[in-house]
Amino acid sequence: MTSLDLPYVPHYVAAPPTEEPLEYAEIPTIDISRADTEEGRAELAIEVREALHNHGFFYVVNHGYSQAQTTRMFDIADAAFSAVSDSEKRLYLSRRQEDGSMPGYTLREYTDTYGKVHDQLQQYALCESHENKRQHPEAVRPLLPEIKEFNKYNHLNVLYPILRLIARSIELPEDTLVNIHGFDVANDSSVRFIKYFPRTEEEETKTSNVWLKGHTDFGGISILWSQPVSALQIKTREGEWRWVRHLENALVVNTGDALGFLTGGYYKATVHRVIQPPKDQRTCTRLGVFFFAMPDDDVKLVPMAESPVLQREGLHRRYDDVEASTMEQWRRARTKAYGHSELKNGKEKGVEEEVINGVVVKHYN
């Protein structure tokens, strides 16, 4: 299909990058095209290990998706919000509270974790393993072939090379993690479009300019297609918050809880948050295109003790193996808890906690 054959969608005009002098995190860059050779994979496995140990985040470049294709996907992402009325969105809501399932819309009606204002974001999630059970709004239906192809590309051409490098970095066969992240089997890996809207001054005051508290993702690998509105910050190993710089047509990759469980804490889930953008972007919407990768639902989240690296380094278990959650149990519990848990002050200053499936989950103010 050529560009002339594609369904029309209005072009989404993103804000220009900020000119504010922000303190940016030093995030390594992985050229994934080098994974095409044995020599390249050997070198990249070392780079990925160092990136995850020292930063928990890395950029991916040369992933094979052109700038024009990326721009088109952001246009499609915006159409899921701007071309669909709120009343129609309500016909396609996610079932996150009923059964912990993400596919569908999440509207601006969840209370933020301060319990003071509503989240000023909308989300639309599409999951390959749920597609035979889901319906979509009229404006999205003609765009589904492109979204599904984008989902497949993320899974097979981006996620799988990353998983092979991670497996190699802990001296396991390259397909160890690939084999538990199936493309068309039961899991909740999904493409998600998220649109943040500016808050009022009153809302910003009530939440100290924090849009989403410091947290870890609950899946395995999170992939953000870089966009220019600065708001994402990561918590460094030194305990400082640093901004994530926008790199044109790059991917921002971080690890989640599930990978932390599977590696016995060797690769820890990375704490990050979303805050008010800098002054020159505060009136702009922030449109995000994501791919959140989850291990298969039936995977028990216990350390891969057969790894020689994990054997040498030692395993940090969050719970006894016999009590470990499956990925399905973990994702459903984390999803249903969002915005509804009663958080308690933790031992660390500025940290609130909740216990989910026997695991302490922290939220950073």
Side-chain angles (χ1 to χ4, degrees):
M1 182 179 289
T2 68
S3 59
L4 296 177
D5 300 320
L6 297 175
Y8 171 75
V9 289
H11 176 52
Y12 174 75
V13 180
T18 181
E19 295 183 2
E20 296 288 326
L22 306 180
E23 291 186 286
Y24 289 106
E26 294 185 6
I27 299 176
T29 298
I30 301 297
D31 181 352
I32 205 69
S33 67
R34 292 164 53 205
D36 291 341
T37 67
E38 168 65 23
E39 180 183 9
R41 289 194 297 277
E43 295 171 349
L44 287 175
I46 296 172
E47 293 177 22
V48 165
R49 182 175 63 221
E50 292 177 349
L52 293 182
H53 265 183
N54 297 328
H55 306 277
F57 270 70
F58 56 84
Y59 295 108
V60 167
V61 297
N62 296 326
H63 44 72
Y65 226 61
S66 70
Q67 181 62 62
Q69 288 174 300
T70 301
T71 298
R72 170 74 180 178
M73 193 49 55
F74 274 88
D75 293 345
I76 289 173
D78 186 59
F81 304 109
S82 61
V84 183
S85 68
D86 281 355
S87 60
E88 189 179 6
K89 289 170 187 169
R90 291 187 180 280
L91 302 175
Y92 305 96
L93 293 177
S94 77
R95 294 180 57 83
R96 59 189 300 169
Q97 285 306 306
E98 292 86 345
D99 61 14
S101 179
M102 292 302 296
Y105 281 101
T106 302
L107 302 183
R108 288 188 277 181
E109 52 193 25
Y110 279 83
T111 304
D112 86 317
T113 44
Y114 288 93
K116 298 175 181 177
V117 302
H118 285 101
D119 284 338
Q120 290 301 321
L121 65 85
Q122 291 189 347
Q123 174 175 274
Y124 193 56
L126 300 95
C127 175
E128 182 66 27
S129 66
H130 293 254
E131 273 306 290
N132 61 343
K133 299 177 288 186
R134 297 293 307 184
Q135 300 295 317
H136 301 275
E138 185 176 356
V140 173
R141 291 169 204 162
L143 306 173
L144 285 176
E146 292 176 84
I147 299 173
K148 290 182 177 181
E149 188 60 33
F150 180 71
N151 178 64
K152 184 177 181 180
Y153 193 91
N154 274 272
H155 206 120
L156 303 185
N157 297 80
V158 180
L159 173 66
Y160 277 2
I162 292 171
L163 292 179
R164 290 188 177 104
L165 295 175
I166 293 174
R168 186 164 183 152
S169 76
I170 53 175
E171 299 176 14
L172 287 175
E174 283 192 355
D175 281 348
T176 300
L177 289 168
V178 167
N179 291 338
I180 59 172
H181 288 77
F183 172 63
D184 54 1
V185 300
N187 62 45
D188 222 43
S189 295
S190 60
V191 168
R192 296 188 208 169
F193 305 143
I194 303 178
K195 192 170 186 178
Y196 285 86
F197 298 85
R199 283 178 166 175
T200 65
E201 289 187 17
E202 181 181 4
E203 289 172 327
E204 294 290 3
T205 299
K206 286 182 177 180
T207 59
S208 302
N209 307 114
V210 175
W211 288 10
L212 188 61
K213 280 185 180 181
H215 66 284
T216 58
D217 294 338
F218 57 81
I221 298 291
S222 301
I223 299 169
L224 162 67
W225 290 70
S226 189
Q227 54 76 47
V229 177
S230 297
L232 178 62
Q233 292 187 328
I234 67 173
K235 197 170 195 293
T236 67
R237 296 294 188 253
E238 295 73 37
E240 299 172 319
W241 292 105
R242 291 292 182 263
W243 297 81
V244 174
R245 187 190 302 272
H246 168 57
L247 295 184
E248 197 73 14
N249 205 33
L251 313 180
V252 182
V253 178
N254 68 277
T255 53
D257 295 338
L259 189 67
F261 295 144
L262 292 170
T263 61
Y266 185 70
Y267 292 137
K268 295 178 175 61
T270 314
V271 178
H272 54 286
R273 69 179 183 179
V274 180
I275 70 168
Q276 184 185 36
K279 290 182 180 180
D280 56 357
Q281 295 181 324
R282 285 184 184 170
T283 60
C284 306
T285 58
R286 178 177 182 262
L287 181 64
V289 173
F290 299 80
F291 181 76
F292 289 98
M294 313 279 174
D296 299 340
D297 276 352
D298 61 358
V299 172
K300 192 127 176 164
L301 298 177
V302 297
M304 298 180 290
E306 67 275 22
S307 160
V309 171
L310 301 189
Q311 291 172 13
R312 291 196 301 268
E313 296 293 328
L315 301 175
H316 172 66
R317 287 178 164 87
R318 302 284 291 277
Y319 39 50
D320 291 336
D321 287 0
V322 294
E323 300 173 353
S325 298
T326 63
M327 186 63 228
E328 181 179 19
Q329 292 167 334
W330 180 248
R331 68 170 174 82
R332 289 187 188 277
R334 283 288 310 265
T335 302
K336 292 171 72 173
Y338 178 75
H340 289 78
S341 293
E342 183 177 344
L343 304 181
K344 298 180 180 180
N345 289 330
K347 296 179 181 179
E348 303 170 64
K349 183 178 179 181
V351 177
E352 294 174 310
E353 299 178 348
E354 58 182 327
V355 178
I356 298 178
N357 289 11
V359 177
V360 176
V361 176
K362 298 180 179 182
H363 301 263
Y364 297 77
N365 292 328

